[in-house]
Amino acid sequence: MSNTLFKSVGIVAIAVGSMMIAQAYGAEKTDTKKSHQTSPAGKYQPNLDSLNKGTLDAPGVVQGIPALSKAEFNKANRIYFERCAGCHGVLRKGATGKPLTTKITRERGFENLRDFITFGSPGGMPNWGDSGVLTKADISLMAKYLLNEPPVPPEYGMKEVKASWKVMVPVSKRPTKQMNKLDLDNLFSVTLRDTGEIALIDGATKEIVQVIKTGFAVHISRISATGRYLFTIGRDAKIDLIDLFMNPPTRVAEIKVGLEARSVETSKMKGWEDKYAIAGDYWPPQYVIMKGDTLEPLKIIGTRGMTVGTQEYHPEPRVAAIVSSHFKPEFLVNVKETGKVLAVDYSDLVNLKVTTIETERFLHDGGFDSSGRYFLTAANAKNTIVVIDTKETKLVKMIKVGATPHPGRGANFVHPKFGPVWATSHLGDDTISLIGTDPKGHPKQAWKVVQTLEGQGGGSLFIKTHPKSRYLYVDTPLNPDAEIASSVAVFDIKNLKKEYKVLPIGEWSGITEGVRRIVQGEYNKAGTEIWFSVWNAKDQESAIVVVNDKTLKLVKVIKDKRLVTPTGKFNVYNTRNDVY
């Protein structure tokens, strides 16, 4: 059997790749049910949750291909969107994972498909059957499903977008000044992934101020340039606009920009503060520009087109990270599958100017360097960091790093030898790559990996530091080792030759159930504390652990029955000012 067909470097696959090798090829078998759970880790990268709820007609009968009833087809469709679409794409054209078109699957045949789904592959295909996630009946069904043509989800144009738009509190009815007594700059917006909510937590008291209903599985929170408006986007493509000036902070508008989404951002260029917002869809492949204070949809732009390099048409190029330039009235939009960064000039929406920067395929997350000029973003399936000059709107460099970089927004600090650097950790290995970012002061080190650190292991999602800190924190929530997943590695920036220190965050939480995956460090405004989520399953206890950045000692464990599956945390000041 060929192992190349089903190679996948998706998040779950990376976490369990080493175990699948032994199981798939008959080596000594170990109990992997705990280490290969797809909840919560496997659900971190969502798989078109909103598309699995409807029903579709089963495909027509094709001679020699197993027929599916409508009920069987809809069950298989749901499993595919929950488990597979995030890597292989909605249309099965391939994304981070390989294509699963019928031309390929029918050549392989039912038994080959069944075995790969069951046992996985050394290249990273999860062992869905051997791990106990899917039953034998489910696997048989999925093998048949892959032999049939994939369904095409509906499009979502301006008519549908506008129909979903609601303004609950008009601008004229909103206060002209802050009406509550909250320290807004030190407020945290915390994603409660599985309940479709966020918790606003006061950075000083560590108390939940409010829990607000949002879209499902909020991917990110973003803050308007003035600090007044909080935007959340769920993976169901629902955006909620929250006015932090109101008492209490209140949802004032909402909109659904598609069927599946990840990114939202607001205009930050001086003179354009709070004027526009932009959101990017996974399905349909497009982005939507809206009014910043009402979410009124103004323009939808599709991203379908040709890939870089091969110049092949791709029907499903999803929009990943979006950042807002501080130098021009432009949004930088990552188009994952085609490998293009789009500089969208929002100064004239009627005569819209979009500059296409060709980079590398499978663009995902990223952030600015310390100057705010350069956008460093991961083409994670290509083990590459792309550098974009937002002042000149052009590609600077593409840099090879470790296996499957997943920087979040990255981490900026001053290296004792090489000057300003930006760092990324990796899903696929235990390394941390430090890239020089100072072309004027340190030209020889600029846009190169100046040092590689070794951390606890693969499965890292986020790396973090602060301009006032001497420490660099690396999480590993998707590592198959429960002890590594429930702790973080801390490097001393002043002495990077020194062995990293391990903080047992899961143990400090006092929670004894679950894997206690520790994810996404976030600083308070002052840079004196760093907060970590203790992320368990929906029916298990979770928490937030606050650490003193100077002493690396426990400050507080935030526990509350409302803290269900906390993941991302976004401090208002740091998020608004791109401090990371």
Side-chain angles (χ1 to χ4, degrees), residues 113-189:
L113 294 170
R114 180 196 62 198
D115 291 343
F116 264 98
I117 296 169
T118 301
F119 299 111
S121 80
M125 173 70 181
N127 53 343
W128 297 112
D130 205 36
S131 65
V133 174
L134 296 179
T135 66
K136 288 184 178 180
D138 287 340
I139 291 169
S140 178
L141 176 63
M142 292 309 297
K144 294 176 183 177
Y145 172 83
L146 292 175
L147 293 169
N148 284 276
E149 292 293 340
V152 179
E155 299 295 326
Y156 206 86
M158 184 59 81
K159 178 182 176 181
E160 291 79 12
V161 172
K162 275 198 170 180
S164 74
W165 173 51
K166 297 178 184 177
V167 177
M168 290 78 81
V169 183
V171 175
S172 61
K173 303 266 186 191
R174 299 176 200 169
T176 56
K177 62 180 181 179
Q178 183 179 339
M179 301 304 292
N180 57 62
K181 295 183 179 180
L182 297 171
D183 180 0
L184 295 183
D185 271 352
N186 203 27
L187 198 65
F188 287 75
S189 175

Side-chain angles (χ1 to χ4, degrees), residues 235-354:
R235 294 176 177 185
D236 54 1
K238 182 174 180 285
I239 300 174
D240 289 279
L241 179 63
I242 299 163
D243 187 348
L244 297 177
F245 278 13
M246 296 180 73
N247 188 22
T250 302
R251 283 193 324 121
V252 295
E254 68 179 33
I255 195 170
K256 191 170 167 58
V257 293
L259 297 176
E260 184 81 2
R262 297 297 181 277
S263 51
V264 67
E265 184 58 285
T266 70
S267 51
K268 291 185 176 179
M269 177 67 182
K270 187 174 181 181
W272 297 89
E273 297 92 339
D274 297 19
K275 187 172 180 62
Y276 294 123
I278 184 173
D281 284 340
Y282 265 29
W283 188 270
Q286 61 193 28
Y287 55 94
V288 182
I289 300 175
M290 302 154 280
K291 285 188 177 179
D293 56 358
T294 66
L295 299 182
E296 179 185 354
L298 302 173
K299 204 170 192 71
I300 300 176
I301 302 94
T303 57
R304 291 181 173 100
M306 314 308 284
T307 61
V308 298
T310 59
Q311 298 294 293
E312 295 174 314
Y313 178 75
H314 201 292
E316 191 194 340
R318 298 174 288 179
V319 176
I322 301 176
V323 296
S324 186
S325 172
H326 298 273
F327 290 87
K328 294 181 179 180
E330 289 181 342
F331 295 118
L332 282 297
V333 178
N334 277 1
V335 185
K336 184 186 287 280
E337 279 75 16
T338 54
K340 298 172 182 177
V341 177
L342 307 179
V344 181
D345 185 339
Y346 53 76
S347 64
D348 184 353
L349 297 187
V350 174
N351 303 290
L352 188 70
K353 178 183 176 183
V354 179

Side-chain angles (χ1 to χ4, degrees), residues 399-421:
I399 307 162
K400 287 295 182 181
V401 290
T404 321
H406 192 285
R409 306 197 87 179
N412 289 297
F413 62 92
V414 178
H415 191 284
K417 181 177 180 181
F418 302 117
V421 297

Side-chain angles (χ1 to χ4, degrees), residues 10-236:
I11 289 178
V12 182
I14 292 299
V16 298
S18 60
M19 284 168 290
M20 294 186 298
I21 297 173
Q23 293 167 358
Y25 291 93
E28 183 178 354
K29 189 169 182 176
T30 58
D31 182 5
T32 63
K33 287 187 178 181
K34 290 184 179 179
S35 60
H36 187 85
Q37 290 192 7
T38 59
S39 179
K43 293 181 179 178
Y44 182 83
Q45 176 110 334
N47 298 311
L48 298 128
D49 308 282
S50 61
L51 298 183
N52 66 21
K53 296 176 182 177
T55 59
L56 298 166
D57 291 331
V61 176
V62 178
Q63 187 175 2
I65 301 302
L68 297 176
S69 69
K70 185 172 182 177
E72 288 176 323
F73 181 74
N74 281 298
K75 181 179 180 180
N77 201 49
R78 176 181 58 80
I79 292 173
Y80 181 81
F81 284 128
E82 286 178 347
R83 308 294 188 191
C84 316
C87 283
H88 297 287
V90 178
L91 305 180
R92 307 204 318 236
K93 297 287 187 180
T96 304
K98 294 292 185 179
L100 293 174
T101 60
T102 53
K103 180 180 179 181
I104 295 171
T105 60
R106 290 174 185 176
E107 287 179 359
R108 300 300 175 179
F110 173 83
E111 291 184 356
N112 189 298
L113 294 170
R114 180 196 62 198
D115 291 343
F116 264 98
I117 296 169
T118 301
F119 299 111
S121 80
M125 173 70 181
N127 53 343
W128 297 112
D130 205 36
S131 65
V133 174
L134 296 179
T135 66
K136 288 184 178 180
D138 287 340
I139 291 169
S140 178
L141 176 63
M142 292 309 297
K144 294 176 183 177
Y145 172 83
L146 292 175
L147 293 169
N148 284 276
E149 292 293 340
V152 179
E155 299 295 326
Y156 206 86
M158 184 59 81
K159 178 182 176 181
E160 291 79 12
V161 172
K162 275 198 170 180
S164 74
W165 173 51
K166 297 178 184 177
V167 177
M168 290 78 81
V169 183
V171 175
S172 61
K173 303 266 186 191
R174 299 176 200 169
T176 56
K177 62 180 181 179
Q178 183 179 339
M179 301 304 292
N180 57 62
K181 295 183 179 180
L182 297 171
D183 180 0
L184 295 183
D185 271 352
N186 203 27
L187 198 65
F188 287 75
S189 175
V190 180
T191 295
L192 306 180
R193 190 198 184 283
D194 290 346
T195 62
E197 298 171 319
I198 61 163
L200 297 180
I201 302 181
D202 184 271
T205 66
K206 318 294 192 294
E207 298 292 331
I208 295 178
V209 173
Q210 196 175 358
V211 173
I212 299 174
K213 206 71 183 171
T214 60
F216 175 73
V218 164
H219 191 61
I220 57 173
S221 294
R222 288 292 180 259
I223 314 297
S224 69
T226 63
R228 172 170 188 164
Y229 292 114
L230 168 66
F231 298 78
T232 67
I233 188 162
R235 294 176 177 185
D236 54 1

Side-chain angles (χ1 to χ4, degrees), residues 402-440:
T404 321
H406 192 285
R409 306 197 87 179
N412 289 297
F413 62 92
V414 178
H415 191 284
K417 181 177 180 181
F418 302 117
V421 297
W422 179 91
T424 181
S425 53
H426 300 84
L427 276 163
D429 63 35
D430 62 358
T431 65
I432 297 96
S433 298
L434 310 185
I435 296 171
T437 61
D438 184 17
K440 288 188 176 180

